[in-house]
Every structure is written in C-alpha cells, then in structure tokens.
Amino acid sequence: MSTRSRKSYERLIEAVKAFPPTATSVAHPCDESSLAGAVEAAKLGIIAPILVGPQKKILAAAGGGLDAIVFTAGIGERAVAIREAVCRRAAWLGVELDPAANAGHGPRISTASSRVSAWVIPTNEELMIARHTRTLVGQR
C-alpha cells in the first residue's frame, strides 16, 4: 500500500470510529485472511461481524483461535436443536454446551469451563437502524 493510500485508509478508519460498530454480514469468510479482516475491523470497533457461510469452513478457518460463538436473529434465538448441533460440531475448538441453558435460550449457553463461550443474543434491527439514523441526523 502506498503512503498516500495508507494515510487515506487511516483517515477513513478514524472517521468511522465516531459511529457505533455496525452489524455487518461477512459472507463466506472461509479462509484465514478473510476471517482476519473481519476480526481486525471488529477490534477497531468498526463492525460487529455476522459470519455467513458454510459453518465447517468458517470454524476451520478460525482454528487459530475463537473467543465466542453468538447465535442471533430468528433461528439463532429460537432453534435449540440448531444451536446444539453447531456447538457439538465446534467442540474441537473448545465449545462445551450447557444443555439446560440452551433449552432456556441463554443468554450464555456454554458451560462455565468452556474455553469458547456460546451466547444467544436477541437482535433488534429496527432499533439499530433508528440509532444510526439519529447519530447521522444529529451530526448535520
């Protein structure tokens, strides 16, 4: 990256940090570099990534480390069996599901000793849109 491009990039990052992280769908992040980009943007506070794609490939790409699995939206919030299946398949990463907490829809559905935590977090897309709109309108 040229010095000029790098400076433009840094100005852009600083500008978007003024806003709350945006829920962002990251489609098919099945290799380490794609996943690393989403992780970097999340660490910078720019996005709240929602990984969309083949579960096995995403989990394999995260083999170097995973802090948490978050289930959200309709299926993630309500589908006990799907959460159980995902956590079972992610056991090799250190996910230990608490069946009672999962049946009760969380919020934490992993055991206290789980190396990778698992959570059910309800979404309210309309509220987030309203907050972002209020922030943008308030700056004008």
Side-chain angles (χ1 to χ4, degrees):
M1 181 182 290
S2 73
T3 303
R4 183 176 173 189
S5 295
R6 181 70 185 176
K7 286 181 182 179
S8 294
Y9 169 78
E10 289 171 356
R11 280 195 308 271
L12 176 64
I13 296 300
E14 287 307 311
V16 297
K17 282 184 176 181
F19 300 100
T22 301
T24 304
S25 177
V26 182
H28 213 274
C30 298
D31 59 77
E32 287 185 37
S33 63
S34 297
L35 197 55
V39 169
E40 179 182 353
K43 285 180 179 177
L44 289 170
I46 298 168
I47 69 167
I50 301 167
L51 306 179
V52 179
Q55 169 197 335
K56 287 182 182 181
K57 289 183 178 182
I58 293 171
L59 292 176
L66 188 66
D67 295 321
I69 295 176
V70 178
F71 297 92
T72 188
I75 292 174
E77 290 178 42
R78 296 180 193 90
V80 173
I82 290 175
R83 292 193 305 260
E84 189 273 330
V86 169
C87 289
R88 185 174 1 98
R89 290 184 185 134
W92 65 277
L93 289 167
V95 178
E96 295 177 26
L97 182 69
D98 177 335
N102 187 35
H105 303 287
R108 183 175 179 144
I109 61 169
S110 55
T111 65
S113 61
S114 183
R115 286 192 329 262
V116 175
S117 59
W119 300 85
V120 176
I121 299 179
T123 57
N124 186 336
E125 293 89 353
E126 293 84 3
L127 176 61
M128 292 308 299
I129 291 168
R131 284 181 178 167
H132 288 294
T133 301
R134 182 181 66 201
T135 300
L136 288 170
V137 170
Q139 290 184 356
R140 293 183 179 181

